[in-house]
Structure formats: structure tokens, C-alpha cells
Amino acid sequence: MSVDLEFDYDAATAAMDIFSQEHIDELKEWTQKLDKSKYVPKDLSNKQLLLFYNACYGDIEKTKVCMERYYNIRKNTPDIFDDRFLGLDDVKATAEVLEYSVLPGKSCKGYDIIFHRLHITEPSRYCLEPACKLLFMTVDACLYKRGPQPGYIFLFDMRGVRLGHLTRISLSFQKDRQRSLRKFFQYVQEAMPVRMKEIHVLNTEPVVDKLMLLIRPFLDKKFFDMIKFHHKNEDLEGFYDTIIPRSSLPPDYGGTLPDTRTLHMKCIQQLKDMENYFTAEEQQRVNALPDKKREKHMEKAFKNLDID
């Protein structure tokens, strides 16, 4: 099963600000020479290589580092990057509690917008790993459809976030799952194949200060400086004029798009439709593992199967 991305390669490269087919060929040749300990597949398509190349602004050496970190993190964080199926109990439950979408419009500067918020605000319903899994699946869906883009904005709504949600995340530390949170931020900052431009957090409450204390140790300065907070009573006229226009926002935020639940259900349906892609992408990573690690991965996968 091939890892086939939907976007058109020729149209994507024609729209890029930096592109050289010779560089893509060089990256492909480089993957063939890599030792399996790097976990980078040798059968990456030009489309896959293009995403990393664009994210690193055409810098070949930075692209190589990004690719190695991408596959290393995905290999070492299976709770987030393996078994990406909407039918799994924890993923299905999280899709009912949270909302995600790739907003149909663009930002004022032409960036793609990934939206996320709580739908059910009861803290006991929130689980960190499947929440991260669905967020990255949504990003992958955007890359799958739209290909390389000039930039990305993450738009998060904190409405309904309470101390109990932070406690749920803090419990991960007590259960020796701090690794998941650390890997989440490492992936976003060092490996995710997008040009991250801005992160806007709407409807902030005093609990945001406690949240930042929790996650600040994982953030580098460049990433931290991207985060902009907007109080729930803030006048957003300047936001509409310079960040995201009303035409690219749901009605809860003064926009003209469909409501967030409609957008979320559309996103979830797209993720379901991409099941073959997620399966093929994971299998490509498994095939790139050294023999012993691949055998262990397959053994674990068989043990996790539900046997009636």
C-alpha cells in the first residue's frame, strides 16, 4: 500500500517561493544511504519530501535534520502516532469531547488555520494522548489535501478550560507519561513539516497562567514568542483586520463560516476517509525499522488486537 498524498505536485511546486527539483532528488538519494537506525523510510515519495523541504524553506541540511527528528519522534511516541483509527475507543471518545477543524478559509497573510477547542467541558472526559493524536491527524489531513503552504496558524479556544483539565495533564506526570507532553512540543517545534507562524489562544481565563507554568519548560523562545493570548472580553476588530478575517472564522468568533460543530464533523469524516492513508503511513514507518525493532513492533501490534 503506497503513501499517496492527494495534492497535485506540479501545482504545489509552481506556487512555492523556494523550490528546486534537484534538491528533492538530492534528498531522495540521501534517504537511500541512511542507516536504518535513523528510521527514515527509503521509499518516500517526492510529495512527502516536498513537505519537509518547504517547511525548512529549502535548506537541505535543515530538511535532513527535520526528517530524522520526525521519524524518530513518531517511532518513539506510539501513543500519539500509531493506530490512528477513529474507531478506537479512546479516539472515538475524544472526538466527542473535543472539536478540531482545518478552517476552510485563510488568514490575512494566506496561512492555513488549524482550530481546536473543548466541546464537552467536563475535565474527567479529557485525555491527553488521544487529544494530541487527533490534533496531529488533523494537521496531516491538511497536508494531505493542500500540500506545502506558506504558513500555519494554530487557533485554540480556552473557553471551558478549568483547573481540572490541568490536573488531568499533571496526572500524566505522576504516571510517568511526561514523555508524551515533552514529545508533543518537541514534534511541533522541531519535526512537524509545516511553517508554523502564529498560535492564537482565544477566551483566556486566569487558569492560562497555571497552564503556562506547566508547559513553559518544554517551549523554546522562538515558539513561546509565537503565542498570543486574547482575553474573552477583548475587542477583536484588530484581530479581524490583521490576523484572521471574519470570512475565515466560525460564528462564535464573529465570523461567517459554518458553526464549529459542523466543521468538526466534516473534519472527523475526512479523517475516517483517510484511514487507508494513515495505515499506509504507519506501515511505511514500520518497514523502515531495523529487523529486530520491526519484529518487536509487529509482536506488540498482534498483542493489542482485540480477539473475539
Side-chain angles (χ1 to χ4, degrees):
M1 186 182 297
S2 63
V3 182
D4 188 23
L5 298 162
E6 188 173 286
F7 71 88
D8 183 85
Y9 185 81
D10 292 335
T13 56
M16 289 169 59
D17 54 352
I18 303 171
F19 173 71
S20 166
Q21 184 59 47
E22 288 76 12
H23 284 169
I24 300 300
D25 294 341
E26 180 181 337
L27 287 170
K28 186 178 286 289
E29 183 178 352
W30 169 74
T31 64
Q32 303 306 306
K33 299 176 181 178
L34 271 181
D35 185 86
K36 277 198 168 187
S37 63
K38 298 295 185 180
Y39 312 131
V40 178
K42 297 184 182 298
D43 60 343
L44 294 174
S45 68
N46 280 357
K47 288 182 181 181
Q48 288 177 288
L49 294 170
L50 191 67
L51 296 176
F52 293 104
Y53 178 77
N54 176 74
C56 297
Y57 298 87
D59 186 310
I60 291 292
E61 295 309 313
K62 288 182 179 180
T63 302
K64 293 176 181 178
V65 171
C66 179
M67 291 172 64
E68 289 184 0
R69 289 177 178 168
Y70 175 94
Y71 285 105
N72 184 283
I73 293 172
R74 288 205 168 200
K75 185 267 177 188
N76 289 303
T77 321
D79 289 349
I80 295 176
F81 293 108
D82 287 357
D83 301 319
R84 298 195 289 172
F85 304 110
L86 270 297
L88 295 178
D89 289 345
D90 60 342
V91 179
K92 185 177 181 180
T94 296
E96 295 173 355
V97 173
L98 306 176
E99 290 182 342
Y100 303 84
S101 64
V102 180
L103 297 184
K106 301 275 189 176
S107 76
C108 295
K109 295 181 180 179
Y111 303 148
D112 283 337
I113 308 161
I114 304 294
F115 173 79
H116 173 48
R117 77 170 186 179
L118 292 172
H119 175 61
I120 297 174
T121 60
E122 170 54 47
S124 65
R125 301 283 300 276
Y126 180 83
C127 294
L128 176 64
E129 284 82 3
C132 296
K133 178 180 287 191
L134 276 171
L135 178 63
F136 291 139
M137 289 173 72
T138 302
V139 174
D140 280 9
C142 189
L143 292 169
Y144 174 86
K145 287 278 188 181
R146 301 184 182 182
Q149 295 294 317
Y152 270 67
I153 289 178
F154 276 4
L155 182 64
F156 298 143
D157 183 357
M158 283 197 68
R159 183 180 296 150
V161 176
R162 293 181 275 172
L163 188 60
H165 291 96
L166 304 192
T167 302
R168 294 282 293 175
I169 297 174
S170 298
L171 286 174
S172 298
F173 289 66
Q174 298 174 17
K175 296 177 181 179
D176 196 28
R177 291 189 300 172
Q178 180 179 1
R179 178 180 60 88
S180 293
L181 198 60
R182 184 178 69 252
K183 289 293 184 182
F184 172 88
F185 285 108
Q186 184 183 4
Y187 180 80
V188 171
Q189 294 173 103
E190 302 176 12
M192 192 167 63
V194 304
R195 296 181 179 182
M196 180 60 69
K197 296 292 187 177
E198 303 167 24
I199 300 162
H200 291 272
V201 184
L202 303 173
N203 295 311
T204 59
E205 299 277 4
V207 72
V208 73
D209 295 329
K210 293 181 174 61
L211 174 63
M212 293 311 296
L213 283 175
L214 184 65
I215 66 174
R216 185 65 181 91
F218 305 104
L219 309 181
D220 62 32
K221 184 180 185 305
K222 180 181 178 182
F223 189 82
F224 180 78
D225 290 343
M226 290 183 189
I227 304 174
K228 308 299 178 187
F229 297 102
H230 305 273
H231 192 269
K232 63 180 180 180
N233 296 322
E234 180 179 329
D235 183 348
L236 293 177
E237 286 304 324
F239 181 84
Y240 302 141
D241 291 339
T242 61
I243 309 299
I244 303 176
R246 291 178 182 271
S247 60
S248 295
L249 287 168
D252 280 359
Y253 311 99
T256 58
L257 291 179
D259 63 87
T260 60
R261 198 62 189 164
T262 299
L263 293 170
H264 170 72
M265 296 309 296
K266 181 179 179 181
C267 177
I268 293 301
Q269 184 57 54
Q270 182 180 348
L271 298 183
K272 290 179 180 178
D273 293 342
M274 289 176 60
E275 183 172 308
N276 287 342
Y277 166 79
F278 291 127
T279 299
E281 190 276 333
E282 182 176 342
Q283 189 58 52
Q284 184 183 52
R285 288 187 279 115
V286 171
N287 291 342
L289 296 175
D291 292 343
K292 289 185 178 181
K293 290 184 182 292
R294 187 167 66 251
E295 290 172 3
K296 287 182 179 180
H297 184 280
M298 297 304 295
E299 182 180 340
K300 181 179 179 181
F302 280 121
K303 286 182 178 179
N304 289 338
L305 287 176
D306 290 329
I307 300 175
D308 295 328

